[in-house]
Amino acid sequence: MDIRAVVWDVDDTLFDYTSADREGMRAHLVAEGLLAGYGSVEEALARWREITDQQWARFAAGEVDFETQRRDRTRVFLGRELTDAEADEWFDRYLVHYESAWSLFPDVLPVLDALAASHRHAVLSNSSLHVQDRKLRVLGVHDRFEAILCAAELGVSKPEPGAFLAACDALALPPEQVAYVGDHPEIDGRGAAEAGLLSVWIDRADAHATLEPPAGPRRIASLDELPSLLRGDTRFGASSSFR
């Protein structure tokens, strides 16, 4: 069955979240005078990313809401008790630096242009609509998507099948007519495949080169590969394009 729509992850798929987070936090730590407590900038950034991953996993599991995971990231990183207002103020100061570093990956606009006439487009993110709606507007691609769905509002997050099926419902298409493109091999790759979508895992620069690839997703290194993959989808017969 032909693929009629592409549903996209946002962070580290369309938007270079990792670079923006690193650059933003580096500037924030300098401004806050916090680097003295670490052996190096890289050590501080690695600690921030570790805490971010831990707290995001709690949010994805439904243990805390979106705002709480942000506040807890701040509290754990600083290692002290903070009121909600204090944690919000610290995080808001970080956001100023983070947002100044926002950018799309260079392969995003060319592939959106290439697929504009042939496929419908939507977004499914494990973030919140407030965050991702604004981000896509600032990045200049909001109008490329006819639906933007986020876990905070859906009440279900990837890799749960319900999240992917909600995106299909928003497009009024069955899963077998929808492709999902995301950067995480399990949350995006395996999750979309198990929900019945054509799952495309974007693994830029072989970031997961040592990882045993999950069954189901097609693995690509650049979005430049996506148009030909969609034209040659062989998931129901011939060999997979997974590499």
Side-chain angles (χ1 to χ4, degrees):
M1 188 174 292
D2 291 341
I3 299 299
R4 298 178 58 191
V6 182
V7 179
W8 300 84
D9 175 50
V10 177
D11 295 344
D12 281 332
T13 297
L14 299 171
F15 161 63
D16 190 354
Y17 168 78
T18 295
S19 294
D21 182 49
R22 286 176 58 83
E23 293 174 23
M25 182 51 66
R26 185 192 303 269
H28 184 48
L29 293 174
V30 171
E32 298 284 312
L34 293 173
L35 285 179
Y38 294 89
S40 67
V41 173
E42 290 305 313
E43 180 184 328
L45 293 176
R47 176 61 176 156
W48 173 251
R49 187 57 190 252
E50 176 188 16
I51 293 168
T52 296
D53 290 345
Q54 291 170 350
Q55 297 302 323
W56 196 260
R58 294 176 64 217
F59 167 66
E63 297 175 11
V64 296
D65 62 21
F66 187 78
E67 294 301 327
T68 297
Q69 64 82 23
R70 279 189 168 187
R71 292 164 182 157
D72 287 349
R73 283 160 67 185
T74 300
R75 291 172 176 130
V76 174
F77 182 74
L78 296 178
R80 62 176 187 264
E81 292 295 323
L82 297 171
T83 65
D84 287 353
E86 289 170 336
D88 289 343
E89 288 168 4
W90 191 91
F91 201 92
D92 286 345
R93 294 197 297 274
Y94 151 70
L95 287 178
V96 173
H97 301 288
Y98 163 64
E99 292 181 9
S100 70
W102 281 2
S103 67
L104 296 169
F105 285 105
D107 55 2
V108 169
L109 290 179
V111 78
L112 288 176
D113 287 343
L115 298 175
S118 58
H119 293 78
R120 298 163 63 193
H121 297 272
V123 159
L124 173 63
S125 167
N126 266 4
S127 184
S128 75
L129 185 60
H130 169 75
V131 170
Q132 300 297 42
D133 189 88
R134 178 173 177 273
K135 184 184 294 174
L136 293 170
R137 290 183 190 278
V138 171
L139 293 170
V141 293
H142 185 276
D143 291 345
R144 303 278 190 143
F145 307 104
E146 61 182 87
I148 299 172
L149 293 84
C150 294
E153 290 74 27
L154 282 176
V156 61
S157 60
K158 302 175 295 182
E160 291 299 317
F164 297 99
L165 297 179
C168 296
D169 288 345
L171 294 165
L173 291 173
E176 58 268 25
Q177 291 186 352
V178 180
Y180 188 81
V181 183
D183 70 289
H184 196 285
E186 293 293 331
I187 294 173
D188 297 316
R190 190 188 299 278
E194 291 183 350
L197 289 74
L198 171 63
S199 177
V200 183
W201 169 30
I202 173 75
D203 185 20
R204 289 189 174 87
D206 285 334
H208 298 279
T210 62
L211 182 72
E212 182 69 22
R218 271 64 163 179
R219 183 179 186 177
I220 61 175
S222 168
L223 294 180
D224 296 339
E225 302 173 53
L226 185 61
S228 61
L229 188 155
L230 295 178
R231 288 193 298 270
D233 173 25
T234 57
R235 91 179 114 172
F236 299 113
S239 61
S240 168
S241 58
F242 204 126
R243 59 180 187 83

